[in-house]
Amino acid sequence: MSYLEYNVKSVPTGFRKLLFLNWPIILLLCAISSAGFIMLYSVAGGSINPWLEPQLKRFALGMAVMLGIAMIPIWFWRNVSAVGYIVSVLLLIAVELFGEVRMGAQRWINLGFMVLQPSELAKITVVMFLASYYDWLPLNRKSHPLWVFIPVMIIMIPTALVLKQPDLGTALLVMIGGGTIMFLAGVHWAYFAGVIASGVGVVWAVMVSKGQSWQLLKDYQYRRIETFLDPSSDPLGAGYHITQAKIALGSGGWTGRGFMQGTQSRLNFLPEKHTDFIFTTLAEEFGFIGATTLLTLYVALILICIFSALQNRDRFGSLLTLGITMTFFLYFAVNMSMVMGMAPVVGVPLPMVSYGGSAMLVLLVGFGLIQSAHVHKAR
Amino acid sequence: MKRPPKDTAQSQRGIGRRTLVVGGLQLATAGLLALKLRSMQIEQAETFRLLADENRINIKLLPPARGLIYDRHGVLLAGNEQNYRITMTREDAGDVEEVLDRLSQLIPLSDTARAEALKEMSNRSAFVPVTIADRLTWDDITRVTVNAPALPGVTTEVGLSRYYSQGADLAHVIGYVGPVSDYDLSRIENPDPLLQIPKFQIGKTGVEAKMEEVLRGSAGTRQIEVNAIGRVMRELSREEGQPGADLQLTIDSALQTYVEARLEGESAGAVVIDLENGDLRAVVSSPSFDPNLFVRGISVAEWNALNENPFRPLAAKAVQGTYPPGSTFKMITALAALEDGVLDPEETILCRGYTEVSGNRFHCWKSGGHGNVNLHDSLKQSCDCYYYEVSQRVGIDKISAMARRFGLGVRHDLPLSAVAEGLAPDKEWKATVRGEDWRIGDTVNASIGQGYVLASPLQLAIMSARIATGRTITPRLIHTIDGVETPKQSDDTIGLNENYLRRIRAAMDAVSNNNRGTAYGSRINVSDKRMGGKTGTSQVRRITAEERARGVTSNADLPWERRDHALFVGFAPVDDPKYAVAVVVEHGGGGSAAAAPIARDVMLQALYEGQPPLEAYPSNVRGRISEQQRAIQNRVQPGAIQGNDRA
């Protein structure tokens, strides 16, 4: 395998690459992040501190990283994808051994200049590694059991490590992101049917294991599932988050209560109002119009990325683009379902909007790869 | 391995087909989310808005009872009393002015209190209750309750507030509490949510401030359902807080009260230390102030009176005030020279009334001089020239090192506000702080505790305690926390030749009990309770050559603030020391006349654990002493709670 299979001559070089960037993606990212900036300013009570200012700095850093990655040819990224995968698995093991415990889970590792969540990194590297795997794998072997078993292991090792932290939301995201690549690469339908069937079996096992000595999830996760199924069972305890989030969201109406006028967030009824639950504040203050506008921006971004992938004749580039797009989609779909009471509270941020460094940086790294694939595709 | 074009095309078709499926699912999910948003924000908007407006759940904090403070014998020094107050909610009151008018006919309500309440109400949300009047009597409360229908928005509440049973007598030790201020909050890194309660009382000075975390306790919570205007609909759950831990001080409040009374009329500080364990039996600053004034809210007039008093009642002179120790420092100079081997205790040095040092003349307090004096006589008669000579031999650095060994120039770790470090100066200090070279005249001045040397009454008492025992007695103020005794501080041997200490103690015995000693007039007349000590008189002004030629002006003829400080340090009984004492009377005149009698009276009170018999005093002063004892017994403690009307 070498870069020779790419039609190198038709690829732009030097600063000309800037002209071939997928500019609509960049514009949409700026628009979505701006919604986040406005909300962070609002939940801080009309102040750039403590959230907006660091977020702006991270966004600037992330955009620079994205452009940097986009400038580097996509075949370089394919060649290092195995290294990236191994590094992120090692980091996940490191976080297990030396990580910081915050809010009851071991997720962060302190690098000195920033705290990193290796599970965020894993979302991208798993997709990258699988894309390069299917790029390498001859098409006729893709549904052979042995060649299916290998990608399953590639997915399950980081998933298991993330699950052990425990971070159910991220584990699901890694698993679905990886599974999507396998599906797109053309693995036979029957495998997926089998997985879905066994998934149902696992859920059943998880529910049965409750209270047994081999209980599979932590107690708080069971409580979250229970209150998800019936939030009214514990309105002051575990169901409080969902109930208050739904009240905030629902009370927005058509046009919302107005910028910085949301009573639920003002009066501190909302939990994590600057991170995972930021969408409820947005929906409360800007109403249905604001919420659907954000949703539309997300969908537009996804469609543009899919379009870019379909135009890309390079198998790695197109699988990678689709995989990262799926990951991005999962972020906002899970987060929105969660705050609307359609999914358990699993701790997934609203991409590019929620306050937090790791997720934003990793997503922009992902969009850097999408841009690189776009710039360096055969024309 | 180059991939054949046919293969690439097939791959692209495969990905394209499956992308349609995945993309379709994504679009469907997004559509579902939009539908859910529509159903919640448009179809059910009314319901949710109602929930948001009408059904808010609030968590209120229940302040815990503050820990109590007792003296060593279990006398309650700082307690909590029930306090009735009236609060008003702007939203419910309607016409605030009118309700306040009606209220002022029922209870005493000053114009300033009224203006403050109005300001507070306009600053806060309409549904937040604001305290209108505090510390009301039961009668006031009943009058308000009976008239409740005419007073919308007015509620009566009962809370706990601090009171100090001993009033002014322990004000500098215990300190006082006051409402938490923005400045307090800014200094605390991770403030307890309790501190957010408006007017929550926290320790401001003294033990109350330093032991705040122990005394405060932890908050309870009350979950209540409130409606849109913040009215409490019902209580959902209640969890009581954890009251603060009780403290027991090492202070003996009876002794403390006696000393405070004995110092009345003077600006002075006194400290009594138990030599067995370093317990501080009395830490007195005079004059004092009533800490209850601060809890209740001090008036401007009262505050100005305290602030402008030349005797500075707010200063904790016993630990915070630093004074040139004068002749009480001579033991340190002597010990430094003995330890260094440059002084033979029997050697005599000639005192002619002055010593020439590099062209300057340093005078002894006795203008004619003491003649030939050895160590014993030099302390007994407090000869200055002897120390001028000795200090030049040993040098300042060794003297100040010895001072630090005896607790001078060292900050002692006590839970009190502003514990002074004092100063045991040396060459390095002068070079770094003053940027000047040390001069030999500085050493000569320091040898008799003048010049740069500074010490607090607490430090002088510690010095005296360490001389008396030869151990590094360390002061202790907290006896027990929540019933658990605080560990006794280390009191290792001070590491000096016991022979030297014995000579110093014998000389201090002679100061009080030899008829040529400077404190002979203030001796204890019981042979097994004899007190050893040292007088000190420290100048606060320079005596010019002119004045010296004319005759030094006596203290009585000088304005108060230019008179000498009077000091005395001592311990008793000489043969088996139990207590050490230090007394500093600001601008009191001579140490033997002003400070020694006080120290003697205090020591007797401590030794007899109450009023001593008159026989303990020399016969010529018994008449005056019995009058003094009567006066002290009839004294009314300022600010103290009399009788049992408040339990």
Side-chain angles (χ1 to χ4, degrees):
Chain A
M1 295 286 287
S2 77
Y3 63 87
L4 286 175
E5 69 200 62
Y6 290 86
N7 191 348
V8 176
K9 278 184 189 158
S10 69
V11 167
T13 52
F15 286 107
R16 265 175 56 77
K17 286 182 180 179
L18 287 172
L19 296 174
F20 286 83
L21 284 172
N22 198 335
W23 284 99
I25 291 183
I26 294 177
L27 289 177
L28 282 168
L29 283 174
C30 289
I32 291 167
S33 303
S34 303
F37 301 149
I38 292 168
M39 292 328 295
L40 288 177
Y41 181 79
S42 168
V43 292
S47 161
I48 60 163
N49 279 308
W51 297 310
L52 176 54
E53 196 186 322
Q55 185 83 345
L56 279 169
K57 286 180 184 159
R58 287 182 195 133
F59 179 71
L61 174 72
M63 286 309 262
V65 169
M66 180 185 88
L67 290 177
I69 289 173
M71 293 299 105
I72 294 168
I74 189 67
W75 48 89
F76 170 81
W77 295 117
R78 187 196 59 206
N79 293 347
V80 299
S81 60
V83 179
Y85 175 79
I86 290 165
V87 166
S88 54
V89 168
L90 289 178
L91 280 174
L92 281 171
I93 293 169
V95 85
E96 191 63 39
L97 298 177
F98 319 109
E100 286 179 31
V101 176
R102 286 196 204 164
M103 300 196 291
Q106 206 157 30
R107 294 177 189 173
W108 282 266
I109 192 162
N110 199 334
L111 294 183
F113 62 96
M114 69 174 285
V115 269
L116 181 80
Q117 236 177 313
S119 57
E120 293 288 342
L121 194 61
K123 287 174 195 163
I124 298 291
T125 53
V126 167
V127 166
M128 262 177 96
F129 190 40
L130 283 174
S132 72
Y133 171 83
Y134 281 109
D135 185 50
W136 163 81
L137 191 72
L139 285 181
N140 52 7
R141 294 189 193 160
K142 65 193 178 208
S143 293
H144 186 283
L146 173 67
W147 302 106
V148 170
F149 177 74
I150 290 170
V152 166
M153 286 323 290
I154 291 173
I155 296 169
M156 289 319 289
I157 290 168
T159 305
L161 285 168
V162 173
L163 204 53
K164 199 163 178 305
Q165 289 180 352
D167 186 350
L168 183 62
T170 307
L172 278 172
L173 255 57
V174 170
M175 207 156 70
I176 298 176
T180 305
I181 298 278
M182 291 179 70
F183 180 78
L184 292 167
V187 178
H188 199 274
W189 289 94
Y191 287 105
F192 298 95
V195 166
I196 289 166
S198 51
V200 173
V202 165
V203 169
W204 176 81
V206 161
M207 295 322 285
V208 164
S209 79
K210 193 197 166 198
Q212 308 285 332
S213 56
W214 50 283
Q215 187 168 311
L216 290 169
L217 296 182
K218 299 245 162 159
D219 282 342
Y220 82 92
Q221 288 170 323
Y222 280 107
R223 277 199 299 279
R224 281 181 175 182
I225 292 171
E226 271 162 33
T227 49
F228 160 63
L229 296 173
D230 182 13
S232 60
S233 65
D234 186 11
L236 284 182
Y240 185 82
H241 288 193
I242 294 176
T243 311
Q244 295 299 338
K246 283 169 82 172
I247 290 174
L249 201 136
S251 62
W254 265 106
T255 54
R257 306 205 137 189
F259 182 49
M260 309 216 339
Q261 299 298 318
T263 58
Q264 287 279 304
S265 40
R266 280 293 88 66
L267 296 176
N268 279 324
F269 284 120
L270 279 181
E272 306 271 320
K273 60 188 178 193
H274 60 295
T275 57
D276 292 357
F277 283 81
I278 195 163
F279 184 63
T280 55
T281 314
L282 184 138
E284 184 187 21
E285 297 192 352
F286 296 103
F288 181 68
I289 293 171
T292 44
T293 304
L294 183 66
L295 187 60
T296 310
L297 290 174
Y298 279 133
V299 170
L301 184 55
I302 296 250
L303 289 178
I304 288 172
C305 288
I306 291 177
F307 190 65
S308 161
L310 290 180
Q311 283 194 320
N312 198 332
R313 273 175 292 154
D314 172 39
R315 194 167 163 79
F316 174 71
S318 110
L319 281 177
L320 180 65
T321 304
L322 289 170
I324 291 168
T325 307
M326 185 65 184
T327 307
F328 184 79
F329 164 80
L330 286 172
Y331 265 106
F332 77 77
V334 170
N335 179 277
M336 286 185 182
S337 317
M338 174 175 104
V339 301
M340 283 194 276
M342 296 159 73
V345 178
V346 284
V348 173
L350 193 62
M352 307 303 296
V353 174
S354 284
Y355 178 80
S358 284
M360 176 178 265
L361 208 59
V362 165
L363 281 167
L364 286 172
V365 166
F367 280 105
L369 293 169
I370 289 178
Q371 293 282 15
S372 174
H374 188 82
V375 171
H376 302 95
K377 72 182 173 192
R379 287 185 163 83
Chain B
M1 181 176 84
K2 175 110 176 131
R3 188 173 287 148
K6 180 175 152 279
D7 216 21
T8 310
Q10 191 194 339
S11 148
Q12 281 310 110
R13 271 201 307 279
I15 290 178
R17 274 199 306 273
R18 297 244 166 146
T19 301
L20 276 183
V21 176
V22 171
L25 277 174
Q26 289 177 345
L27 280 180
T29 312
L32 211 66
L33 289 171
L35 279 178
K36 178 75 177 173
L37 270 175
R38 201 183 100 87
S39 113
M40 283 174 79
Q41 294 199 287
I42 292 166
E43 281 151 29
Q44 301 178 57
E46 290 288 307
T47 325
F48 282 119
R49 188 156 287 191
L50 221 63
L51 280 173
D53 289 347
E54 285 187 359
N55 211 9
R56 296 179 188 149
I57 292 148
N58 263 353
I59 294 174
K60 292 222 161 160
L61 292 174
L62 297 169
R66 197 172 171 83
L68 307 178
I69 303 177
Y70 298 95
D71 91 332
R72 66 181 301 114
H73 300 303
V75 176
L76 182 63
L77 305 177
N80 302 317
E81 64 181 347
Q82 297 231 310
N83 165 24
Y84 301 100
R85 58 172 175 263
I86 287 175
T87 61
M88 185 163 160
T89 312
R90 178 155 57 98
E91 186 80 284
D92 299 343
D95 188 345
V96 175
E97 294 275 351
E98 199 192 322
V99 176
L100 278 176
D101 283 342
R102 282 188 218 143
L103 201 59
S104 59
Q105 289 164 9
L106 298 170
I107 56 165
L109 191 65
S110 69
D111 286 347
T112 45
R114 193 188 156 124
E116 258 174 50
L118 277 171
K119 195 175 143 224
E120 180 93 6
M121 270 191 278
S122 59
N123 282 346
R124 293 184 177 275
S125 301
F127 56 83
V128 174
V130 168
T131 305
I132 304 287
D134 211 353
R135 296 178 176 276
L136 294 169
T137 63
W138 178 243
D139 288 346
D140 289 334
I141 287 291
T142 26
R143 265 201 301 280
V144 170
T145 321
V146 166
N147 290 290
L151 300 167
V154 172
T155 26
T156 56
E157 282 180 17
V158 58
L160 291 175
S161 72
R162 203 69 158 164
Y163 79 96
Y164 300 102
S165 63
Q166 306 295 307
D169 288 352
L170 275 142
H172 293 116
V173 175
I174 296 179
Y176 51 84
V177 297
V180 58
S181 66
D182 291 342
Y183 172 69
D184 293 328
L185 279 175
S186 71
R187 282 188 311 167
I188 304 168
E189 209 163 278
N190 196 3
D192 189 324
L194 267 175
L195 303 186
Q196 310 286 353
I197 298 178
K199 295 197 173 171
F200 184 76
Q201 305 265 301
I202 63 163
K204 294 287 187 174
T205 63
V207 171
E208 290 272 32
K210 296 288 169 168
M211 304 297 286
E212 170 65 25
E213 312 267 289
V214 174
L215 291 166
R216 188 192 299 150
S218 57
T221 52
R222 190 160 74 110
Q223 280 197 332
I224 48 172
E225 203 177 281
V226 293
N227 68 2
I229 53 169
R231 187 196 296 277
V232 178
M233 305 301 280
R234 64 196 169 106
E235 188 173 280
L236 297 166
S237 72
R238 190 189 180 94
E239 198 180 318
E240 293 296 335
Q242 186 73 33
D246 294 347
L247 293 183
Q248 195 177 9
L249 304 184
T250 59
I251 299 285
D252 176 345
S253 76
L255 181 65
Q256 175 92 9
T257 300
Y258 173 81
V259 181
E260 193 75 58
R262 181 65 183 83
L263 293 177
E264 205 160 83
E266 303 281 7
S267 175
V271 173
V272 181
I273 300 186
D274 186 329
L275 298 182
E276 193 190 324
N277 43 24
D279 279 3
L280 293 168
R281 292 296 189 107
V283 179
V284 183
S285 302
S286 175
S288 189
F289 62 92
D290 181 4
N292 294 306
L293 289 180
F294 285 84
V295 183
R296 283 163 206 176
I298 190 164
S299 72
V300 175
E302 287 164 332
W303 170 253
N304 286 343
L306 288 175
N307 236 352
E308 284 158 17
N309 187 330
F311 282 18
R312 306 190 321 283
L314 293 172
K317 296 179 185 106
V319 296
Q320 188 185 356
T322 57
Y323 309 90
S327 302
T328 60
F329 192 73
K330 285 175 180 167
M331 283 84 81
I332 299 294
T333 309
L335 282 166
L338 289 169
E339 170 87 344
D340 199 33
V342 295
L343 179 67
D344 179 341
E346 292 305 333
E347 175 191 349
T348 60
I349 292 171
L350 177 65
C351 168
R352 286 172 295 160
Y354 63 87
T355 304
E356 296 268 356
V357 181
S358 59
N360 286 320
R361 203 171 257 210
F362 289 85
H363 291 271
C364 186
W365 65 270
K366 191 170 178 184
S367 50
H370 289 92
N372 278 313
V373 286
N374 63 9
L375 173 66
H376 189 85
D377 293 336
S378 76
L379 277 174
K380 182 172 78 185
Q381 298 173 29
S382 204
C383 173
D384 292 338
C385 292
Y386 182 88
Y387 293 92
Y388 296 156
E389 165 63 24
V390 164
S391 64
Q392 292 177 67
R393 293 188 198 167
V394 64
I396 188 63
D397 284 350
K398 283 179 177 142
I399 294 175
S400 62
M402 186 60 71
R404 280 191 279 272
R405 273 169 89 174
F406 281 87
L408 306 181
V410 178
R411 181 171 284 120
H412 296 280
D413 182 26
L414 285 174
L416 289 173
S417 302
V419 177
E421 190 176 326
L423 182 58
D426 54 20
K427 288 175 185 163
E428 196 194 326
W429 169 82
K430 197 175 178 193
T432 53
V433 176
R434 297 232 155 181
E436 292 168 22
D437 283 340
W438 187 268
R439 290 161 199 275
I440 190 68
D442 296 332
T443 306
V444 171
N445 267 330
S447 73
I448 58 158
Q450 293 279 165
Y452 298 118
V453 190
L454 288 173
S456 67
L458 172 74
Q459 289 172 324
L460 291 173
I462 291 166
M463 175 189 80
S464 176
R466 292 183 179 179
I467 290 172
T469 57
R471 290 181 287 127
T472 53
I473 300 280
T474 310
R476 178 171 78 160
L477 184 62
I478 307 295
H479 191 241
T480 64
I481 297 175
D482 208 11
V484 181
E485 188 165 349
T486 52
K488 185 176 154 182
Q489 305 286 328
S490 73
D491 59 348
D492 300 335
T493 168
I494 203 156
L496 278 179
N497 187 328
E498 184 60 25
N499 275 329
Y500 300 152
L501 285 169
R502 219 171 314 172
R503 278 182 183 274
I504 298 289
R505 285 182 212 129
M508 289 173 77
D509 185 8
V511 167
S512 286
N513 300 305
N514 182 297
N515 61 9
R516 296 190 59 191
T518 53
Y520 182 66
S522 304
R523 67 192 177 277
I524 290 176
N525 206 21
V526 181
S527 69
D528 66 345
K529 289 194 163 57
R530 279 189 346 265
M531 174 161 74
K534 182 73 196 81
T535 54
T537 305
S538 63
Q539 273 169 233
V540 293
R541 66 199 180 99
R542 209 186 149 71
I543 298 175
T544 57
E546 206 182 321
E547 183 186 339
R548 204 174 285 280
R550 203 176 54 227
V552 178
T553 318
S554 86
N555 273 306
D557 298 334
L558 285 168
W560 178 75
E561 71 276 4
R562 286 171 57 86
R563 291 179 199 168
D564 298 338
H565 291 318
L567 299 95
F568 188 85
V569 300
F571 57 88
V574 168
D575 303 319
D576 176 22
K578 280 196 166 57
Y579 301 106
V581 64
V583 175
V584 177
V585 182
E586 285 187 351
H587 309 295
S592 54
I598 296 173
R600 185 257 326 269
D601 292 352
V602 169
M603 186 58 90
L604 276 172
Q605 196 79 15
L607 289 172
Y608 283 94
E609 292 177 25
Q611 185 173 308
L614 278 176
E615 289 70 50
Y617 289 90
S619 51
N620 58 332
V621 296
R622 282 177 196 163
R624 196 160 44 77
I625 293 291
S626 91
E627 232 168 83
Q628 177 187 305
Q629 286 178 347
R630 241 192 325 276
I632 287 176
Q633 272 175 350
N634 295 333
R635 165 182 176 259
V636 178
Q637 281 171 245
I641 312 268
Q642 302 294 321
N644 302 331
D645 56 333
R646 287 169 137 142

